[in-house]
Amino acid sequence: MRAFRWTQVMIFAIEEINNDPAVLPNISLGYKILSSCSSPTNAVRAALTLASRPQEIDLTSPCPPAISALIAESGSSQSLAVAGTLGPFQVPIVSYFSTCACLSDRAKYPSFFRTIPSDYFQAKALAALVKRFGWQWIGAIQSDNDYGRNGILAFTEEVKKLGVCVAFVGKILRTYSKDKILDVVEMIKKSTVRVILAFVPEGDFYPLMEEVVKQNITGIQWLGSEAWITAPRPSTPEVYQAFGGALGFVVQRMAIPNLKPFLTGINPYTDPSTEATNEICKGNETIMNFQDAFFNVMDLRVSYNVFKGVYAIAHALHQLLFCQPVGEKMVRPCLNTSEIQPKLVTDQLQKVNFRNQFGDDVFFDVNGDPPASYDIINWQLIDGQVQHVTLGHFSSDANGNYRLSIQEEEIVWRTGKMVPTSVCSNICPAGTRKAQIKGKPTCCFDCITCADGTIANSTGSADCTPCPQEYWSNESKDECIPKMIEFLTYHEPMGIAITIVSLLGASLTLATMIVFLHYRETPVIKASNSELSCFLLFSLFLCFLCPLTFLGRPTVWTCMLRHTAFGVTFALCISCVLGKTIVVVTAFKATIPGNKVGGKFGPAQQRIIVCFCTLIQIVICVLWLTLKPPFPDMVFKYSNKKIILECNTGSEAAFYAVLGYIGILAIICLVLAFLGRKLPDNFNEAKFITFSMLIFCAVWITFIPAYVSSPGKFTVAVEIFAILSSAFGLLLSIFALKCFIILIKPEKNTKKHVMGKTVNKKI
């Protein structure tokens, strides 16, 4: 009945044009109708029959024997066959329902026109709908012909741009066996999709619809192409249980009020095409009050396209025959009807541009297509009847811009009141990234937690973003947080211990100095060279205070101070020890008759040795600070979650030059002290110096590999340990026994005891 009404609308339009003096005056349009039975083969046969001239021409006939134009076809496959066959002969073809985008190819189909938008626009409209509701994982059903294949291809290309995946494409056709239909049903049942697009004509889709209803497959949101979404055959309450809430796009509706009397006046006895000989009715029946969709002339879509197609051809013929558009002042024809050629009609159709009686603009673009304009249809059950409710609109302009408007709150969803979700994999939460599953579409993925140091602060991230160098990822991997700053502080246990030991050493040194000053006139003090001893104690006091500069947050000044203060104070310390060693050795060498070396190393020479040896270290430090000084630095290599603040030496060569110089002084002291190891037993200064230098050298030789291999703040701790150990070694080795004699054993603090028996005999 749907196709039958299309033929009746065509007849109605032709009769209306013939009765209109403004269109083709004094010229009547005739018609001949053949059925293709939705078969491309039959369509070509019918088209050739209509287009061919009979072998014998009746010269007295008032009408040309061949057609001027063809209204065909509804199906894209049939139109492709007809347009391909008649295109080379430039026979104009106007389709009212063929939407395949492939028909826009003017090189292949130069004489094809249509009054329904191309699937190119419907694919964009469907893709916009999918995007609007956030569907990422959908299935597709296509008719296994040009309409279905090209429609799904165009749709797939559009949704891929939006990151949407098509899970499967089922192929159906009305001539397929039931087994093939059941295969598609199984495909639907096994899939996880909740949204399926059916790009299928009504006749091809109905067998699948019946099987879906029979097997009670529900919970699927169906999207329909214009070929079936408003078809009356499937729009029943029985089908609604599975397909209710379906959404789709159709051409805009229009009302043709004068059409209803024409349709209700159809009579098989007045129809010139009726060849039936048997009586099928009395002839006095009436269908004026018959309530059927066939007689609904206020909601016409495809039928209106037929109407527009007939008028487009009429306007093209009018302009061809009168050389002016409809509506202008009538003149004599400029062309005889017998001179009408199909190519001339085709050329005029390309120029057609008029506004019809309903205010609708009728024209074709360079591809023979009309402008794109769709209504959004929703299947709803109202008063027990399936209604096609218009809930929105889609349109495009001449610049290729698209606009989709839809009343979402009015939509009836098949899966419930809320918008259905259709995803292969749930969107990855913040802190994770997508990991493609091998062999599956891009919409199917696993969510992998971001690696340490990287984050994904939004859902659905394809990749994790590395944090800046000063930051690290939090536990949930969705935010970069500042790394923990680490340096040796005063208030942590290690810092407290270092401070206590350092102050203890400084206090002991200060106490020793007080003892030496108080007992400076005693033999023990005099024998150990009180001036150099005080210099040594002062330098040791500074050495004990040096570690305090290593604590706290490194700054430019503390970095320059800690290394240079350490270098200078230890150079001063070892210089004093060197001076004492030289004095001790030379003093006892002087006891040998005729040896005058000892007299050359008096207090002045001792001061010169100390100052000169210290000055060299000062020069090294000044050059270091001038050329490439130490500076505060952030070190990231030891820990991913921490920033180690430390003092960069600036110049490794300068740092090791300072250490090397102290080492040279210490080795010289060790050698000289070793040479004086056989001095009188009771005078142990040389032995004490030897022992102290052994401790000093052992500490600093051990320090180098420990310093290089220690991470972070432990590098600083190792250096502090070396400073304190060597300082305590010098203090205890050189001064502990002297203080013991002075404070605990004062009876041994005599010149006789200090010089020893052997020396007294020699004297």
Side-chain angles (χ1 to χ4, degrees):
M1 294 300 292
R2 194 184 190 196
F4 178 67
R5 187 168 70 168
W6 296 339
T7 64
Q8 296 306 307
V9 171
M10 187 190 84
I11 297 171
F12 168 79
I14 290 174
E15 291 186 3
E16 191 175 76
I17 291 168
N18 288 340
N19 294 327
D20 187 352
V23 183
L24 294 172
N26 302 319
I27 297 174
S28 295
L29 295 177
Y31 61 87
K32 187 174 183 180
I33 301 174
L34 296 178
S35 177
S36 67
C37 299
S38 298
S39 166
T41 305
N42 288 344
V44 171
R45 185 183 294 113
L48 291 174
T49 301
L50 292 171
S52 61
R53 292 175 180 268
Q55 292 181 353
E56 296 182 2
I57 301 175
D58 184 0
L59 299 178
T60 62
S61 173
C63 297
I67 61 171
S68 300
L70 194 64
I71 301 288
E73 241 275 10
S74 61
S76 294
S77 295
Q78 296 90 281
S79 289
L80 284 166
V82 173
T85 302
L86 300 185
F89 304 103
Q90 293 291 317
V91 176
I93 303 162
V94 180
S95 174
Y96 49 91
F97 208 19
S98 296
T99 58
C100 181
C102 54
L103 287 164
S104 298
D105 189 343
R106 297 312 272 174
K108 289 184 178 180
Y109 314 110
S111 61
F112 181 82
F113 300 85
R114 52 185 160 193
T115 54
I116 188 168
S118 163
D119 282 339
Y120 170 81
F121 300 104
Q122 186 175 194
K124 288 186 176 293
L126 287 165
L129 190 68
V130 168
K131 179 184 178 182
R132 179 65 169 268
F133 296 112
W135 295 322
Q136 298 289 321
W137 182 239
I138 62 176
I141 306 293
Q142 70 174 43
S143 54
D144 198 7
N145 52 28
D146 297 289
Y147 170 76
R149 284 190 292 268
N150 286 280
I152 290 298
L153 179 62
F155 172 76
T156 303
E157 289 177 352
E158 288 297 322
V159 293
K160 277 185 177 178
K161 299 174 186 176
L162 306 174
V164 178
C165 298
V166 178
F168 63 84
V169 177
K171 298 179 181 179
I172 58 174
L173 208 58
R174 64 193 178 97
T175 56
Y176 273 3
S177 65
K178 188 173 182 180
D179 289 340
K180 287 189 175 181
I181 300 296
L182 291 174
D183 289 343
V184 176
V185 172
E186 285 300 313
M187 189 185 299
I188 295 171
K189 290 166 66 176
K190 291 179 180 179
S191 177
T192 59
V193 299
R194 287 294 171 263
V195 177
I196 299 178
L197 167 65
F199 217 99
V200 190
E202 173 197 356
D204 292 335
F205 193 38
Y206 195 72
L208 179 66
M209 296 179 87
E210 286 184 314
E211 198 61 41
V212 168
V213 173
K214 181 180 177 181
Q215 298 195 25
N216 194 29
I217 301 173
T218 58
I220 293 174
Q221 178 63 47
W222 289 90
L223 303 181
S225 63
E226 87 297 326
W228 69 269
I229 194 67
T230 56
R233 186 183 181 191
S235 302
T236 63
E238 293 76 23
V239 175
Y240 186 86
Q241 64 175 324
F243 291 86
L247 287 170
F249 290 91
V250 292
V251 291
Q252 286 185 288
R253 63 182 177 181
M254 189 64 69
I256 308 177
N258 296 330
L259 177 62
K260 187 167 186 178
F262 179 84
L263 295 177
T264 56
I266 294 173
N267 189 309
Y269 295 117
T270 59
D271 189 344
S273 65
T274 301
E275 299 178 358
T277 56
N278 297 326
E279 186 177 313
I280 57 177
C281 58
K282 299 295 182 182
N284 57 0
E285 293 85 359
T286 179
I287 53 175
M288 288 293 295
N289 300 319
F290 192 66
Q291 299 297 322
D292 188 88
F294 182 84
F295 301 106
N296 181 5
V297 297
M298 306 305 292
D299 192 18
L300 300 176
R301 299 184 189 276
V302 182
S303 296
Y304 179 63
N305 287 342
V306 176
F307 184 84
K308 286 197 298 184
V310 174
Y311 264 88
I313 293 173
H315 276 253
L317 288 170
H318 184 99
Q319 189 151 332
L320 176 63
L321 292 172
F322 294 95
C323 297
Q324 63 182 20
V326 173
E328 294 190 5
K329 185 179 179 180
M330 295 303 301
V331 295
R332 293 173 60 86
C334 60
L335 187 71
N336 193 285
T337 55
S338 61
E339 297 175 321
I340 295 176
Q341 297 293 326
K343 186 179 187 308
L344 298 176
V345 181
T346 298
D347 294 340
Q348 290 301 324
L349 272 171
Q350 192 69 65
K351 301 174 185 177
V352 162
N353 191 339
F354 66 94
R355 178 166 291 182
N356 64 17
Q357 60 267 46
F358 306 112
D360 193 12
D361 291 326
V362 180
F363 63 92
F364 304 103
D365 64 15
V366 293
N367 295 320
D369 295 328
S373 183
Y374 297 100
D375 284 337
I376 302 173
I377 295 298
N378 183 216
W379 278 25
Q380 298 187 11
L381 194 63
I382 302 174
D383 297 330
Q385 298 294 321
V386 177
Q387 301 291 330
H388 306 137
V389 181
T390 302
L391 296 179
H393 186 68
F394 176 89
S395 60
S396 66
D397 58 23
N399 297 323
N401 299 315
Y402 308 102
R403 183 174 181 271
L404 175 70
S405 60
I406 187 169
Q407 302 171 19
E408 296 180 30
E409 66 278 2
E410 302 294 332
I411 296 177
V412 170
W413 298 107
R414 181 65 194 94
T415 55
K417 293 183 180 180
M418 303 300 293
V419 178
T421 57
S422 186
V423 293
C424 179
S425 301
N426 289 323
I427 190 168
C428 289
T432 63
R433 65 172 178 84
K434 296 178 182 177
Q436 190 64 42
I437 300 175
K438 188 175 181 180
K440 290 192 176 182
T442 55
C443 295
C444 300
F445 49 82
D446 291 326
C447 295
I448 305 298
T449 303
C450 290
D452 290 341
T454 62
I455 64 162
N457 57 6
S458 61
T459 57
S461 297
D463 294 297
C464 297
T465 306
C467 290
Q469 195 175 28
E470 293 82 8
Y471 292 81
W472 193 249
S473 54
N474 59 0
E475 289 296 325
S476 56
K477 302 295 190 300
D478 59 359
E479 183 183 4
C480 287
I481 56 176
K483 288 182 179 180
M484 186 171 62
I485 304 295
E486 184 179 86
F487 54 88
L488 200 56
T489 62
Y490 289 99
H491 53 76
E492 64 179 289
M494 187 183 296
I496 293 171
I498 289 171
T499 302
I500 292 173
V501 173
S502 180
L503 294 177
L504 176 63
S507 300
L508 290 175
T509 305
L510 192 60
T512 303
M513 187 181 296
I514 292 171
V515 170
F516 264 59
L517 290 174
H518 186 268
Y519 294 99
R520 60 183 178 276
E521 299 300 329
T522 61
V524 170
I525 303 300
K526 287 183 177 181
S528 62
N529 195 329
S530 60
E531 184 177 349
L532 282 180
S533 293
C534 288
F535 270 124
L536 178 57
L537 286 168
F538 174 72
S539 63
L540 283 173
F541 177 76
L542 296 178
C543 288
F544 278 116
L545 294 180
C546 267
L548 299 179
T549 64
F550 286 77
L551 300 177
R553 190 184 188 96
T555 63
V556 174
W557 290 105
T558 58
C559 285
M560 290 192 295
L561 178 63
R562 65 171 59 171
H563 287 104
T564 52
F566 153 71
V568 172
T569 55
F570 263 87
L572 175 61
C573 179
I574 303 302
S575 297
C576 292
V577 175
L578 177 61
K580 286 175 68 68
T581 306
I582 294 173
V583 169
V584 169
V585 172
T586 55
F588 282 90
K589 292 291 183 182
T591 58
I592 302 172
N595 193 331
K596 299 181 180 180
V597 177
K600 296 180 181 180
F601 287 94
Q605 286 77 14
Q606 296 167 18
R607 296 189 194 100
I608 291 172
I609 291 173
V610 172
C611 292
F612 178 75
C613 292
T614 306
L615 182 62
I616 293 175
Q617 185 75 299
I618 292 173
V619 170
I620 295 173
C621 289
V622 169
L623 291 174
W624 184 8
L625 295 178
T626 304
L627 300 177
K628 209 170 182 182
F631 58 90
D633 192 14
M634 291 189 293
V635 181
F636 302 93
K637 63 182 180 180
Y638 299 124
S639 174
N640 290 326
K641 299 181 180 180
K642 296 178 182 178
I643 300 176
I644 308 299
L645 294 186
E646 64 177 30
C647 287
N648 191 306
T649 57
S651 172
E652 291 287 332
F655 175 68
Y656 286 109
V658 168
L659 287 182
Y661 180 71
I662 295 172
I664 291 170
L665 292 179
I667 291 171
I668 293 172
C669 287
L670 178 62
V671 171
L672 292 177
F674 181 77
L675 294 175
R677 68 189 184 281
K678 294 184 179 179
L679 293 176
D681 293 342
N682 290 342
F683 194 88
N684 294 318
E685 188 85 62
K687 292 182 180 180
F688 297 152
I689 293 174
T690 303
F691 184 64
S692 66
M693 287 299 102
L694 285 174
I695 294 174
F696 186 88
C697 292
V699 167
W700 287 101
I701 290 172
T702 308
F703 159 77
I704 293 175
Y707 178 83
V708 171
S709 60
S710 297
K713 64 182 181 180
F714 296 104
T715 305
V716 179
V718 166
E719 190 169 357
I720 293 173
F721 174 79
I723 293 171
L724 292 176
S725 299
S726 53
F728 270 111
L730 289 171
L731 178 65
L732 296 176
S733 299
I734 296 176
F735 296 101
L737 185 59
K738 294 181 179 61
C739 290
F740 178 78
I741 291 173
I742 293 170
L743 299 175
I744 307 300
K745 296 288 186 178
E747 66 274 10
K748 294 184 178 181
N749 191 4
T750 61
K751 185 175 182 180
K752 180 180 179 182
H753 180 77
V754 170
M755 298 303 293
K757 296 178 181 179
T758 307
V759 177
N760 289 335
K761 288 180 180 179
K762 288 184 178 179
I763 291 173

